[in-house]
């Protein structure tokens, strides 16, 4: 079963790994930050080795984005994102796991202070949700 894990964050300044740039993460004791980072890296390695990690990407700063919206019968490009947005899409992981329980376990492990992690089943040709 394929899932997308979306990492919503607002690091200041924008950077990756996002946790290093988020006040809530920075406020943790150094030992706890190091433990969380090591657990994340261990999980990524495990997923890579067992074939669960299909792909992942960190995204550039939201200020570099362009939004395309349908307007007046055609697409209109504008700079993105809207300034009132508090969290932005910082990156994503596409995973292929045995079932929803494993996907939930991974998403739980990916969550961190000051970030929102979204787990969403992928839909593939035929319109079936997996």
């Amino acid at each position: 079963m394929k899932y997308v894990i979306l990492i919503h964050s607002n690091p200041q300044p924008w950077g990756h790994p996002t946790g290093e740039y988020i006040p809530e993460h920075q406020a943790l004791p150094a030992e706890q930050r190091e433990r969380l980072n090591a657990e994340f890296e261990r999980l990524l390695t495990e997923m890579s080795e067992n074939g669960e990690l299909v792909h992942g990407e960190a995204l550039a700063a939201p200020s570099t984005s362009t939004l395309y919206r349908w307007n007046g019968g055609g697409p209109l490009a504008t700079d993105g994102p809207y300034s009132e947005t508090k969290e932005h899409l910082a990156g994503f992981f596409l995973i292929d796991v045995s079932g929803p329980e494993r996907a939930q376990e991974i998403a739980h492990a990916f969550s961190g202070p000051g970030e929102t992690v979204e787990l969403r089943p992928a839909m593939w040709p035929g319109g079936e949700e997996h």
Side-chain angles (χ1 to χ4, degrees):
M1 299 179 77
K2 289 191 173 137
Y3 289 84
V4 176
I5 297 174
L6 302 168
I7 311 296
H8 300 274
S9 189
N10 190 22
Q12 296 299 322
W14 193 266
H16 291 279
T18 53
E20 298 298 319
Y21 301 91
I22 297 173
E24 294 89 343
H25 184 84
Q26 293 169 340
L28 297 173
E31 182 179 291
Q32 187 176 2
R33 286 194 317 267
E34 290 169 12
R35 181 181 53 80
L36 290 171
N37 291 341
E39 288 174 4
F40 180 74
E41 289 301 322
R42 181 203 55 77
L43 181 57
L44 281 180
T45 299
E46 173 188 315
M47 292 170 56
S48 219
E49 290 173 352
N50 69 21
E52 291 178 319
L53 180 61
V54 177
H55 189 74
E57 287 288 335
L59 300 177
S63 61
T64 65
S65 67
T66 303
L67 301 176
Y68 294 86
R69 298 200 193 287
W70 198 256
N71 187 12
L76 174 66
T78 59
D79 291 340
Y82 292 115
S83 60
E84 66 268 12
T85 302
K86 291 186 174 134
E87 288 185 332
H88 306 283
L89 184 60
F92 68 92
F93 296 90
L94 177 61
I95 60 174
D96 191 356
V97 296
S98 59
E101 296 81 12
R102 177 62 176 154
Q104 291 165 1
E105 178 185 327
I106 293 168
H108 182 268
F110 277 22
S111 64
E115 297 183 301
T116 301
V117 173
E118 178 182 351
L119 176 65
R120 191 182 302 183
M123 291 185 68
W124 298 103
E128 295 179 6
E129 191 169 317
H130 296 252

